[in-house]
């Protein structure tokens, strides 16, 4: 949730913010299913809270996702990485630096029957957003070697770079940001984005 990316406008080097409020998947895989959390330990709890206990008409997994994002963005921002909803699987994926308090909060608010998968990471949403902001101020940095078209955080602790030449760009980008960030960077093929 609150997934944002920086996009180079096709007419120049201007960075534009795109905000997507929710990552909603129609299959059992969450966003970036080919991307596993940095640490692969996963805790699972199943909600027991009655459906009528929360206001609104959203689906049960979506309600849990909204709660996790709200709490992760406020009280638990020092550990929260991201969250995605799996409507078809009646599940929610929460990514965070291990925190018993945050886990207990999310599991105690999970609606009956909703599976909450809690994945370990070693980076917060604040850190990934800070890296995106840092990069977006210098989108032309690698011109001449490759074109950087988009950059944005993923819910599970990665920063995704969309470039024209991934094989060339990946080692250059990872070296530029050091060992810690190298583990959290994914470089993917991207063309010139259209801002319709």
């Amino acid at each position: 949730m609150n997934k944002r990316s920086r996009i180079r406008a096709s007419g120049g080097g201007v960075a534009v913010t795109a905000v997507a409020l929710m990552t909603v998947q129609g299959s059992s895989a969450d966003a970036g299913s080919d991307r596993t959390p940095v640490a692969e330990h996963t805790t699972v709890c199943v909600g027991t809270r009655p459906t009528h206990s929360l206001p609104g008409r959203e689906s049960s997994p979506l309600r849990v996702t909204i709660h996790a994002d709200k709490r992760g963005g406020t009280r638990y921002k020092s550990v929260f990485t991201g969250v995605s909803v799996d409507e078809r699987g009646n599940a929610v994926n929460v990514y965070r630096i291990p925190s018993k308090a945050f886990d207990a909060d999310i599991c105690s608010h999970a609606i009956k029957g909703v599976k909450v998968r809690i994945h370990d990471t070693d980076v917060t949403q604040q850190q990934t957003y800070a890296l995106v902001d840092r990069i977006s101020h210098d989108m032309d940095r690698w011109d001449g070697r490759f074109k950087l078209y988009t950059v944005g955080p993923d819910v599970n602790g990665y920063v995704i770079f969309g470039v024209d030449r991934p094989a060339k760009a990946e080692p250059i980008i990872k070296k530029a940001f050091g060992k810690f960030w190298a583990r959290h960077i994914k470089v993917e093929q991207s063309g010139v984005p259209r801002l319709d």
Side-chain angles (χ1 to χ4, degrees):
M1 294 178 61
N2 292 331
K3 186 177 178 183
R4 63 185 182 182
S5 62
R6 301 292 179 175
I7 303 171
R8 170 183 287 193
S10 58
V14 178
V16 178
T17 303
V19 179
L21 294 179
M22 192 72 53
T23 301
V24 180
Q25 298 297 318
S27 68
S28 61
D30 70 329
S33 59
D34 60 332
R35 302 178 193 114
T36 56
V38 172
E40 296 190 21
H41 180 263
T42 301
T43 302
V44 177
C45 63
V46 178
T48 58
R49 194 169 181 177
T51 305
H52 60 79
S53 65
L54 293 176
R57 297 179 178 225
E58 297 91 353
S59 68
S60 294
L62 188 54
R63 288 183 186 194
V64 177
T65 304
I66 291 168
H67 174 79
D69 187 61
K70 184 175 182 179
R71 299 292 278 174
T74 55
R75 183 170 184 175
Y76 297 102
K77 64 184 177 184
S78 65
V79 298
F80 180 65
T81 306
V83 62
S84 66
V85 63
D86 171 5
E87 288 276 7
R88 193 174 295 175
N90 199 38
V92 174
N93 290 287
V94 178
Y95 301 89
R96 53 77 181 120
I97 294 172
S99 166
K100 290 181 181 178
F102 185 41
D103 295 358
D105 184 305
I106 300 306
C107 290
S108 69
H109 284 84
I111 296 170
K112 186 173 183 178
V114 176
K115 184 184 291 185
V116 180
R117 305 179 196 114
I118 303 171
H119 307 279
D120 289 356
T121 67
D122 65 352
V123 66
T124 67
Q125 185 178 73
Q126 288 181 310
Q127 290 172 299
T128 59
Y129 279 17
L131 181 59
V132 168
D133 288 340
R134 179 177 156 196
I135 295 160
S136 70
H137 294 302
D138 193 12
M139 292 287 280
D140 299 323
R141 175 178 177 177
W142 291 285
D143 284 1
R145 292 182 281 178
F146 60 87
K147 287 280 191 189
L148 172 62
Y149 292 118
T150 63
V151 62
D154 202 0
V155 295
N156 54 11
Y158 292 107
V159 174
I160 311 302
F161 288 71
V163 301
D164 63 342
R165 297 159 64 189
K168 181 172 180 106
E170 185 168 3
I172 295 169
I173 293 170
K174 288 187 174 183
K175 183 178 180 182
F177 293 103
K179 289 182 181 181
F180 174 79
W181 282 114
R183 301 194 314 269
H184 297 275
I185 289 172
K186 298 288 184 183
V187 180
E188 299 179 348
Q189 180 73 45
S190 177
V192 177
R194 294 178 57 186
L195 301 176
D196 296 331

